[in-house]
């Protein structure tokens, strides 16, 4: 049975946080940011993007060890973007496109802000997640060491160095 819809409305239209609309078919899997007709650049994340897009592989392994997800699967981009969307509900739109086998991804998130700002937000949220996890540790020395290290941690400098190391100039970057 056909789904009811507004005549002329394209089912692949995705409303962006700025109010503009795009066809999600135009988003290839390597795209991390799009130039919008509103004049801004919007970060683009898809479920096929690895967590190492944002943090080193060894930290991804630690997150998989310490973060228990509600669905029992390893901590992934899906979980991370859920956290981001929870913190910034008005600034992130998402669309489940798993039924459309032509795009190569199942979920897409587009942010009001650019890819660099999203990267900083992601790192800040991961630090908060790690702080929460370490707060449950019974080792007070480990907690003190972690807190001292995080006090010295510069998110902006990390993001700059990480993005340089990952060479985010095109879709052919490699894990760090």
């Amino acid at each position: 049975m056909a789904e009811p819809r507004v005549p002329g409305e394209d089912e692949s239209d995705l409303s962006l946080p700025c109010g503009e609309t795009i066809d999600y078919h135009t988003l290839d899997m390597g795209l991390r940011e799009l130039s919008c007709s509103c004049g801004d650049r919007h970060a683009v994340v898809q479920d096929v993007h690895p967590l190492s897009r944002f943090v080193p592989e060894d930290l991804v392994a630690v997150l998989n060890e310490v973060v228990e997800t509600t669905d029992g699967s390893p901590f992934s981009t899906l979980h991370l973007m859920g956290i981001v969307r929870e913190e910034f509900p008005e600034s992130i739109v998402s669309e489940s496109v798993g039924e459309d086998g032509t795009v190569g991804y199942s979920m897409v998130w587009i942010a009001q802000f650019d890819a660099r700002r999203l990267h900083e937000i992601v790192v800040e949220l991961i630090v908060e997640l790690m702080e929460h996890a370490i707060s449950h540790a019974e080792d007070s020395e480990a907690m003190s060491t972690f807190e001292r290290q995080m006090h010295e941690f510069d998110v902006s400098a990390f993001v700059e160095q990480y993005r340089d190391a990952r060479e985010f100039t095109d879709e052919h970057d490699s894990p760090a």
Side-chain angles (χ1 to χ4, degrees):
M1 182 169 170
E3 292 288 319
R5 62 184 185 93
V6 176
E9 180 183 326
D10 188 343
E11 292 178 12
S12 63
D13 280 351
L14 176 60
S15 295
L16 304 179
C18 65
E20 297 291 329
T21 302
I22 62 165
D23 180 338
Y24 66 76
H25 290 103
T26 64
L27 306 174
D28 69 61
M29 290 190 296
L31 187 67
R32 293 182 183 84
E33 189 172 77
L34 68 95
S35 294
C36 184
S37 58
C38 76
D40 290 337
R41 297 182 66 78
H42 300 296
V44 176
V45 179
Q46 297 157 354
D47 61 327
V48 295
H49 294 169
L51 281 176
S52 60
R53 169 182 171 176
F54 301 107
V55 294
E57 294 283 343
D58 57 343
L59 181 55
V60 171
V62 170
L63 289 169
N64 282 325
E65 287 292 320
V66 300
V67 176
E68 187 175 315
T69 62
T70 57
D71 62 3
S73 65
F75 189 74
S76 67
T77 301
L78 181 69
H79 300 101
L80 177 64
M81 290 308 297
I83 294 169
V84 174
R85 185 139 193 242
E86 185 175 300
E87 291 293 318
F88 297 92
E90 302 299 318
S91 299
I92 306 282
V93 296
S94 62
E95 187 73 27
S96 175
V97 298
E99 297 296 317
D100 185 338
T102 66
V103 293
Y105 51 89
S106 296
M107 284 292 298
V108 61
W109 298 265
I110 300 181
Q112 178 70 39
F113 24 81
D114 66 16
R116 187 178 197 307
R117 178 64 187 130
L118 175 64
H119 197 157
E120 289 175 347
I121 289 168
V122 162
V123 171
E124 290 167 357
L125 291 172
I126 287 174
V127 167
E128 286 180 23
L129 186 65
M130 292 168 58
E131 285 175 335
H132 179 75
I134 198 80
S135 72
H136 293 288
E138 295 179 19
D139 185 349
S140 61
E141 186 177 327
M143 283 178 39
S144 296
T145 301
F146 180 80
E147 287 174 2
R148 186 175 58 256
Q149 290 172 343
M150 288 302 101
H151 182 67
E152 297 169 5
F153 184 67
D154 183 339
V155 170
S156 185
F158 168 82
V159 168
E160 187 68 33
Q161 291 173 1
Y162 193 72
R163 291 173 76 82
D164 285 346
R166 288 293 305 266
E167 298 177 10
F168 282 136
T169 55
D170 62 24
E171 68 273 13
H172 302 291
D173 66 286
S174 58

